[in-house]
Structures are given as C-alpha cells and as structure tokens.
Amino acid sequence: MTITEKILASAAGLDSVHPGQLIMANLDMVLGNDITSPVAIKEFPKFGKDKVFDKDKISLVPDHFAPNKDIKAAEQCACMRSFAKSENIQNYFEVGEAGIEHALLPEKGLVTAGDVVIGADSHTCTYGAIGAFSTGVGSTDMAAGMAIGKAWFKVPSSIKFNLKGSFKKNVSGKDLILHIIGMIGVDGALYKAMEFAGEGVASLSMDDRFTVANMAIEAGAKSGIFPVDEKTLAYLKEAGAKEPKIFSSDEDAEYDAVYDIDLSELECTVSYPHLPENTHLAKDSSSIKIDQAVIGSCTNGRISDMREAARILKGRKVADGVRCIVIPATQKIWKEAMHEGLFDIFIDSGCVVSPPTCGPCLGGYMGILAAGERCVSTTNRNFVGRMGHVKSEVYLASPAVAAASAITGYITDPEVFNEG
Amino acid sequence: MKAKGSVFRYKDNVDTDVIIPARYLNTSDHKELASHCMEDIDSEFTKKVKIGDIIVADKNFGCGSSREHAPIAIKASGISCVIAKTFARIFFRNSINIGLPILECPEAVDGISAGDEVEVDFTTGVIVNVTTGKTYKAEPFPPFMQSLIEAGGLAEFIKENY
C-alpha cells in the first residue's frame, strides 16, 4: 500500500484498503474559516446532534475576510465566534493570535503525521507536508465532521513524483509545484493523491514542502503527501504536536504514474493567466509589466518566504508605479520577521506590510486590482477575476520572483541581479 | 426524477471563482448568491436562466475553491442539473451533499450545444437531446452515493445512520 492508503486504512479501522474503495474514516481535525464555517454552522442542527463530537478536534480560523473587511464579513466572523463559545471550542483564534489557517494549524501543533484532516477550504491539502492525509471539503462535510467525527472518502489512487538533487539558488518549492502543474495540467491529478518521494525530498525545507503540498489541489488532487523524515519530526517537536504516527509507502505500492524530477534542473517558473497550468520560465517573461506584487498567502507567507523576499529587496527600491504588499501568514511569522529586521528592509524598499489575512488572494481586500492591472503574486490561483476586476491579471510566482519583479516593474528572474 | 430545460454551454475548467466570485462570499444567502452566479464569464446567465435549465460543460467543472456557495448559487438560480465530462472533486462532493444533481457523460457533452432542449432521467442516467433527437447514457452513481442522494443529502443520511 501507499502511505495514503495506509493512513486511510488505519483511520477506517481496516487492515487494508484499495483505490476506489469507499470508507468511513475517523477524523483527527475538522477545520473551517470565516467563509465556509457560517454555512456549516447553519447546517449543523440538521445532523441531529446536541453538540460537536470533540471540542478539541475542531479548529475555527477567521482569516479570509478578517480582520473584518465589511459589515457582512463582521457578521460571518461573529457567527463563528458565537458558535465557538457555545460549543466551548478552544481552537478558535481571534485576530490577535491568528493568521492564515494553513500556516497556523501546523505552527500551533494542531496536526501531526498520520492524522486524517478535513477542512472546509480547498488548500487543506497543505498538511500532507507533515505526512498527514488532509483534504479540502465543503461546508456540509465540515458540519458532518463536527457532528460525528467521521467523513466518507473514496480511497484515491496515487501518482508518485520522484525527486532528486537540490534547488539552484533562487529556485524554491513554488517553482517545483508550478512546474509539476504545468507538466500534468490543472486536472492532471483529479481525484488522486500526489505523493512526493525520492532522495531529493531531504533537501526541501519544511516551508518548501508546505508550499508544494498546498498546491496539490491546483492539479485537481485530493491530497498531496510527503514522507516523514528527520526534518518533519524536528518541526513537529518544535510545534508541540502530539505523537506522530509514521506511515510509509511499501516498495511494491502501486501508482497510476511515476514522474522523475531533478530539482537542480528547475528554473524560476511563472503561471500566466488564467490557469495555474499556463507555466513559463520567469526569464522568458521580462516584457510583462506589472502594477502590483503580493508576497504572502497560505502558499508562500511563511518565514522562509519572507526571508527570501527580503534577500532580494535588501538595498533596492520597488519600481515607480508598483505596489508591493507583504503579508506574513501568522502572528508568529510576523513577529519573527519583525525581530529579524525584515520589515526595515521591506519598508525601506517601498513595500507595505499587512497583518495576516487571505485578503487579496481571493479578491477579498488589501490589494484588489482594477481593470487592466497586472499582479505578480505568490498566491495559488490566477483564475478570471480572482484578485479583483474581471479584466485584471494574476501571474503566480515564488517570493523571490515576486520581489525581483517588484524592483524592476516587469516579471523578473532574480538571476538578473547577479548575486552569484 | 426527471429534469427538462434549455442548455447553457461552457468549456473546460469552469472554476468556482467565476461560478460565484469571492467578492460575494461575505454572505451565504442563497438568493443573493444566485443573483451573481456565473457573472464573470457569462453576464447574460442570470438574466436568461429559467427554472429547470441545464448547464453542460467540458472537463473539470467546478475546479478551485471548496466554497459550497458555488453549487448553492447554481441550484438557487433554478438550474436542475449539471452535465460535464468530469467534475473537480470538491465540487462533485458538495453537489451530492446539497442535492444538486450532476452527471458525468462525455458523449452527451460533445453532442449538446447552447440553447438545446435536454431531458434528463436521474434514475436511469438517460440524457435526451430533444433538439437533435439523440440519446446518451451517463454512468450511474455507486450504491453508497445513491443511498446518500436517496436519503436527501448528507445530513439526513447521517441522522439516519449515526
């Protein structure tokens, strides 16, 4: 069996499972945000349960339109807050201790290796980075999860990505996942698990792994998953996560497809509008003029992303006419970035730093685009109208590329700065 | 159960951001969501849609976000059924859970154009293009999902069984 099949079999109380099998699995965590939770909370009474299945296995994170962007958003957050209070849910995070859910949950130690997690947010697949099976669902599934602590799944088949080598300078997890989506397409892993394996995994930082697993959904996947190694265990220990349950794929596990990727051959990659699969090399994109750069999100708002952007921006200025918005994903990351002096670098170079929020990624607020405007963004989707006006454009890229582009005003491979 | 209506025809990868843009996600009111359904790719949709009409699309319909607001907006618009070559998995799940009938049938999709009159029988999976006179058959749902649909959605199913 694959790591994914083993985790699901264990959660369903079965010795083995096979792709296509329908199972009921026990859940270790059920997650919702301020967009999806209100719908789930409204549905919850229909499940006929007096209270939630386990008040410690539910996390509610106001992050999409929080800090509240308008009256309606405030009412949605109030709905979550009041439900958390009445159900005594401890893992409700008010803005002062919160952040973007998929950076926040691992950081707070709320998910561990071997867990089965559902979240009413498509990027819930992020926690595959720490060897958990985790997947996005809708609000009704979230309500069901809160009611009985179980969810139905069709066991996915898996596609394996065998990684070898290590990244060149300026290349990161974002370039790897954009490269993969460009290779297999936005439905290339539809209904499947994307498993990342091979000796190259060891060279990836945890932050890179989060970025890669986070965008599995952009290839249509049900989940993305990494093996558990020393880096994972060190991360979980530091986060104070509960005891990891370590599963690994058998030598004879079956895969629908296996791809070999040499990390050292990858280059800075950009997805053009309006699909993440429209990938091109950053160095071939230097004629594309930008109006805005966004550095943040559940994909790339972690501390190493902040450091990478700061490394490029240090001593340089954001181009005239370009708005560069930096959004550390959580309060902890914000504080680290502040203490490391990264905010001095950002502000001196002409960026603005926002409190943690999903805001601009989904066209909520804090960086909405006007008609005809272009943004290079470290976020995860570039669909029509995603970040604002239906005639605006989003180019997906890494923090290094977004920072370099903010400086020149055109999409730029950081290599041009010749930093050796 | 049957549905009959005229067809709104879309291409590949219709994403949840165009089905219901995130700028309207500060509400979960079904009518309000319906009033903005599809507006970023088809500004005529909300003006033309009638109760019973059918959406037909190519592959990967509903890709992107997990927002249940997307199938809710479609259902509340009066759409009786979505037929596609394939659906993105969260949209598929959400549609079953909220009771929006969806069918995967690549042959039917290739044989249906915008404005065609189409009749769908959900029990048999038979799709008839009344305009062209051609008949197609969609794969039936596996028994587990059939029981979810028959129970009237996930909430009822869980209430009965757990």
Side-chain angles (χ1 to χ4, degrees), chain B residues 91-151:
Chain B
F91 184 90
F92 182 96
R93 231 183 138 94
N94 287 345
S95 300
I96 303 262
N97 286 344
I98 68 150
L100 170 69
I102 55 172
L103 292 170
E104 286 190 346
C105 187
E107 302 76 28
V109 170
D110 285 333
I112 297 174
S113 311
D116 285 358
E117 280 292 309
V118 167
E119 199 173 82
V120 183
D121 185 327
F122 300 122
T123 333
T124 59
V126 171
I127 301 165
V128 182
N129 186 339
V130 179
T131 308
T132 65
K134 293 221 171 95
T135 297
Y136 311 90
K137 185 143 183 354
E139 277 294 307
F141 289 115
F144 173 80
M145 277 179 223
Q146 200 71 49
S147 60
L148 261 182
I149 296 163
E150 279 163 18

Side-chain angles (χ1 to χ4, degrees), chain A residues 111-124:
Chain A
V111 282
T112 195
D115 273 357
V116 173
V117 181
I118 61 166
D121 186 280
S122 59
H123 294 105
T124 304

Side-chain angles (χ1 to χ4, degrees), chain A residues 24 42 46 49 65 70 72 76 121 135-141 152 186-187 191 362 381 383 386, chain B residues 13 15 17 22 25-26 28 32 59 64-66 68-69 87 89 93-94 97 104 154 158-159 162:
Chain A
M24 263 292 180
K42 227 192 274 181
K46 296 183 188 163
K49 304 289 172 201
F65 295 166
D70 55 27
K72 285 178 170 177
Q76 298 205 118
D121 186 280
T135 191
V137 296
S139 297
T140 301
D141 274 314
W152 67 269
V186 292
D187 63 348
Y191 302 113
L362 74 163
R381 291 194 177 124
F383 299 150
R386 174 74 179 177
Chain B
N13 304 314
D15 62 76
D17 277 282
L25 295 185
N26 54 6
S28 55
E32 203 176 332
K59 64 176 186 151
S65 146
S66 69
E68 211 160 282
H69 312 65
F87 289 92
R89 60 159 287 273
R93 231 183 138 94
N94 287 345
N97 286 344
E104 286 190 346
L154 186 63
I158 283 186
K159 213 161 136 183
Y162 288 89

